Amino acid sequence: MDEINVEIKDAVLEIKNVSVAYNKGNYAVTNVSAAIKRNRITAIMGPSGCGKSTLLRAINRMHDLYPNIVTEGQILLNGADAAKMSTMMLRRKIGMVFQRPNPFPNMSIADNVIAGYKLNGISLKKSEKEEIIEKSLQDVALWKEVKDSLNQKGTFLSGGQQQRLCIARALAFQPEVILLDEPTSSLDPISTKKIEELLIELKEQYSIILVTHNMSQAARISDYSMFMYLGELVEYGKTKEMFINPKDKRTDEYLTGKFS
Amino acid sequence: MVSSITEIKETSNHQKWDARFIKDKIFTGLIILFSLITISPIVLIISKLISKGYKQINLSFFTETTPNTYQAMLANEAGNTIPGGILNGITGTILMVFLASLMAIPIGVLIGIYLYENGTKRYAKIVKDITDILQGVPSIVLGLISYFWVVKFITNGFSALAGSFALFIMMLPLIIRSTEETFKMIPVSIKEAGFALGVPYHKIIFRILIPSGLSGLITGILLATSRVIGETAPLMLTALGSMAVNLNIEKPTSAIPLLIWEFYNDPNMVDLIWASSLLLMMLVLGINLISKMIISKRNL
Ligand SMILES: Nc1ncnc2c1ncn2[C@@H]1O[C@H](COP(=O)(O)OP(=O)(O)OP(=O)(O)O)[C@@H](O)[C@H]1O
Ligand SMILES: [Mg+2]
């Protein structure tokens, strides 16, 4: 824990005393504080219902959509209060990828990649468009597979390809942080492996927060790990250390499969 | 020994298989029988309409207005087809259904979206109940309402506008409900993908949800159209009818079902009843087929 606090200047995100309640007084996330390191993969683990998704969605203020949800605490992006940014600016800097691939069914592959620009009314020159589409698809290793069918609907791709397209859509906005909520849980092992390799490459340019149910996935690709339990952040540290020598009894029990 | 045992086994198996085979046959037979019972009215209606109506269907049927009863009588006596056509009805139906759609589509779709977004709120529940009630109101009552509102106070007389207002109220609940159902079928995650890109709410509706659900919306609109296209009662109280082609929305206007009713009351025009009904039936069937095609394409 200390080490993470010392390196706070390397933090891309600072989560400070964040609590989220879906119904008044009924907290799904309680008082979580953590500094997320830049250009690293941080995994959020924990049993089902412990608040992983809820915490992740607090980071890019997805909860704003639902007026009943109460979010407390503060989130700083590069030291600036996220609550004070426009949602468009904030979500440009913090991209999100969901559990199930969700390309826009009414758009072509190319349009899906630049959907963030199109839907926000940001006009691009044709050359800029092509550049962003090609670079984003190349970043997710999808370019070769789809470069001849850019005008086809994104929904015709396989599940794994669709998920990479969704990552490309998030990357196209050149965010600083990418939030991924169990991005491989609906995919087959081969697609999963591809996305894991991709995430390792992407951390050169982006900071990644990955919610995962899968402990071995966290062990394989993350640099830092959080373990959450019943809405609390129980333990947060270097993944290796956490797996070898967990400090909290509950972390130990979770990692050794005593509950899940 | 061994061979006789297998023989017995085989025969008993065979018998079992036979029994199942017979059951299967009976079941299939019943299904075919019931399907025939279900489709026979449609087949009977269409064949009757074709056999009785085809004589009158010629170019002038679509390009000329209704003849007067004297012309029809002369033609009948001479054994000729009745001269003239139902152009005034065709144009009137198109005009009134178009006006009704012009009102019902935007309002119905917007209310449908509102219900989809706020389905659990109290006010939305009230709107939903009203929609359900509206769907059950007899069309003649809607005609009366339009009569008291539009005929008496807006156009000061029978008019296409009054007719289309009655049709509009009939279409409204159908479009509201189909819009809501269509949007419910779009996964929430598609909407959230838009929000995660910082897209403002109205653009998510107009640039993501509506285009994604377009085939469903169109289907709902087409079905609502085919539902009102044959309505007669509300138009009798509102549009009244007209012998000439009328495109002025403040003037009395004819429609295909209104003409059918008029022909029915005129012994000289009997042949035109069948031809007009055939046309109406084909319109409704055509619209239904198109929406079926859209639905099956969407499910691919
Ligand atoms: N929309 C919601 N309304 C009310 N309660 C919710 C809602 N979403 C989640 N919860 C509750 O909040 C708690 C945390 O849920 P969350 O989805 O964050 O868990 P999670 O750790 O992501 O679980 P999983 O691994 O199953 O995805 C759970 O108790 C859940 O029941
Ligand atoms: Mg979750």
Side-chain angles (χ1 to χ4, degrees):
Chain A
M1 283 294 265
D2 289 339
E3 189 192 1
I4 281 160
N5 285 327
V6 172
E7 289 168 350
I8 217 154
K9 62 179 187 305
D10 302 330
V12 60
L13 275 176
E14 289 167 67
I15 300 169
K16 290 186 168 174
N17 306 96
V18 166
S19 302
V20 183
Y22 285 100
N23 314 297
K24 227 179 187 169
N26 196 354
Y27 286 94
V29 166
T30 36
N31 207 21
V32 169
S33 297
I36 307 291
K37 278 203 63 170
R38 197 183 300 280
N39 294 80
R40 293 288 179 272
I41 298 178
T42 304
I44 307 181
M45 292 182 290
S48 186
C50 69
K52 305 180 294 292
S53 303
T54 307
L55 177 63
L56 194 75
R57 293 161 65 90
I59 295 174
N60 67 342
R61 283 172 41 202
M62 287 295 275
H63 296 313
D64 286 9
L65 280 175
Y66 305 96
N68 293 336
I69 304 179
V70 182
T71 310
E72 293 159 13
Q74 204 182 26
I75 289 172
L76 304 179
L77 173 63
N78 295 321
D81 191 345
K84 297 203 174 94
M85 295 180 196
S86 76
T87 41
M88 208 254 271
M89 240 11 248
L90 178 70
R91 292 184 189 148
R92 251 192 109 148
K93 292 193 173 151
I94 305 180
M96 187 168 219
V97 176
F98 296 77
Q99 181 166 358
R100 292 190 167 277
N102 53 358
F104 296 123
N106 59 315
M107 293 184 196
S108 66
I109 293 173
D111 283 347
N112 258 292
V113 176
I114 50 166
Y117 295 91
K118 287 191 81 165
L119 294 172
N120 281 305
I122 303 167
S123 57
L124 297 170
K125 283 193 217 104
K126 191 158 178 276
S127 58
E128 286 175 317
K129 254 187 218 170
E130 281 163 2
E131 198 190 313
I132 292 174
I133 292 169
E134 179 168 350
K135 178 169 187 312
S136 310
L137 288 173
Q138 241 154 15
D139 280 353
V140 298
L142 195 59
W143 176 249
K144 274 195 201 127
E145 291 157 60
V146 304
K147 67 173 190 291
D148 298 319
S149 48
L150 289 176
N151 292 321
Q152 275 178 28
K153 289 271 159 69
T155 38
F156 284 117
L157 298 172
S158 74
Q161 289 175 319
Q162 285 189 26
Q163 193 63 302
R164 278 182 284 154
L165 176 60
C166 292
I167 299 176
R169 179 174 67 190
L171 297 183
F173 248 172
Q174 291 164 316
E176 295 192 34
V177 182
I178 307 170
L179 311 173
L180 302 105
D181 194 349
E182 305 191 38
T184 59
S185 65
S186 66
L187 304 180
D188 60 276
I190 294 169
S191 309
T192 299
K193 187 156 174 280
K194 272 194 183 160
I195 289 191
E196 287 181 359
E197 287 164 359
L198 174 66
L199 292 178
I200 293 174
E201 271 174 38
L202 289 177
K203 76 176 181 187
E204 304 289 322
Q205 301 171 58
Y206 307 94
S207 312
I208 294 171
I209 305 180
L210 169 76
V211 167
T212 179
H213 239 108
N214 183 331
M215 274 180 266
S216 59
Q217 182 172 61
R220 276 197 300 274
I221 65 172
S222 72
D223 304 294
Y224 292 86
S225 287
M226 297 185 183
F227 172 66
M228 290 183 70
Y229 188 61
L230 297 176
E232 263 180 75
L233 177 56
V234 172
E235 190 163 344
Y236 175 29
K238 283 198 163 149
T239 302
K240 265 192 203 129
E241 285 170 17
M242 194 193 276
F243 273 80
I244 294 168
N245 190 13
K247 294 194 181 69
D248 194 285
K249 199 170 135 260
R250 290 166 292 179
T251 318
D252 187 32
E253 283 175 353
Y254 179 73
L255 293 176
T256 50
K258 297 226 169 68
F259 62 86
S260 61
Chain B
M1 255 316 256
V2 176
S3 70
S4 72
I5 288 176
T6 38
E7 245 167 50
I8 292 168
K9 241 188 187 168
E10 263 176 15
T11 44
S12 73
N13 260 352
H14 198 72
Q15 275 164 1
K16 241 193 233 158
W17 192 79
D18 257 1
R20 198 186 295 163
F21 184 73
I22 292 169
K23 265 191 211 159
D24 253 15
K25 276 271 178 193
I26 294 176
F27 197 67
T28 322
L30 280 176
I31 288 177
I32 293 175
L33 180 71
F34 287 132
S35 326
L36 282 180
I37 292 176
T38 324
I39 57 171
S40 58
I42 286 265
V43 174
L44 286 176
I45 290 170
I46 292 180
S47 55
K48 179 97 175 167
L49 288 178
I50 292 176
S51 66
K52 291 251 186 183
Y54 82 97
K55 287 187 299 249
Q56 282 298 142
I57 299 216
N58 46 29
L59 187 63
S60 58
F61 183 73
F62 299 99
T63 56
E64 290 174 27
T65 55
T66 37
N68 61 39
T69 182
Y70 183 68
Q71 290 170 315
M73 192 182 73
L74 289 182
N76 281 335
E77 278 172 1
N80 295 333
T81 55
I82 302 173
I86 58 162
L87 180 63
N88 46 334
I90 296 173
T91 52
T93 288
I94 292 174
L95 175 68
M96 284 190 279
V97 172
F98 175 75
L99 277 180
S101 310
L102 215 58
M103 296 184 270
I105 293 169
I107 297 177
V109 169
L110 285 180
I111 297 178
I113 292 173
Y114 169 78
L115 292 184
Y116 156 78
E117 285 291 332
N118 304 285
T120 53
K121 286 193 189 146
R122 229 185 65 170
Y123 183 68
K125 280 189 181 143
I126 296 174
V127 174
K128 243 182 228 184
D129 286 342
I130 294 176
T131 312
D132 284 342
I133 294 170
L134 208 54
Q135 202 160 350
V137 176
S139 60
I140 188 138
V141 175
L142 298 178
L144 273 172
I145 291 171
S146 179
Y147 176 81
F148 282 116
W149 287 359
V150 184
V151 174
K152 289 208 129 174
F153 294 106
I154 297 181
T155 54
N156 294 317
F158 297 108
S159 64
L161 188 67
S164 45
F165 185 76
L167 300 185
F168 151 67
I169 301 182
M170 282 194 72
M171 289 177 80
L172 205 51
L174 300 169
I175 294 183
I176 291 172
R177 270 307 157 93
S178 71
T179 303
E180 196 194 349
E181 296 305 318
T182 304
F183 276 36
K184 271 188 189 159
M185 281 174 20
I186 302 174
V188 183
S189 66
I190 299 286
K191 208 168 90 179
E192 292 201 324
F195 284 117
L197 291 170
V199 181
Y201 187 75
H202 66 276
K203 282 198 182 163
I204 289 187
I205 288 181
F206 287 101
R207 309 259 321 253
I208 299 173
L209 294 184
I210 291 185
S212 303
L214 196 61
S215 60
L217 295 184
I218 293 177
T219 309
I221 290 166
L222 286 178
L223 290 178
T225 312
S226 82
R227 176 80 189 71
V228 299
I229 209 167
E231 275 301 327
T232 321
L235 295 185
M236 289 160 119
L237 303 177
T238 52
L240 192 67
S242 153
M243 290 290 279
V245 171
N246 171 53
L247 297 176
N248 180 346
I249 62 170
E250 293 184 53
K251 289 271 151 46
T253 307
S254 194
I256 302 173
L258 277 181
L259 285 181
I260 294 175
W261 172 243
E262 282 165 24
F263 297 154
Y264 177 79
N265 287 319
D266 186 336
N268 296 320
M269 304 276 208
V270 177
D271 285 348
L272 282 175
I273 298 179
W274 300 106
S276 311
S277 304
L278 180 61
L279 178 64
L280 196 57
M281 190 77 196
M282 287 300 155
L283 279 177
V284 173
L285 273 182
I287 293 173
N288 274 284
L289 277 180
I290 293 173
S291 30
K292 287 259 155 57
M293 267 155 55
I294 295 175
I295 291 174
S296 65
K297 213 171 161 195
R298 177 178 47 178
N299 291 344
L300 271 183

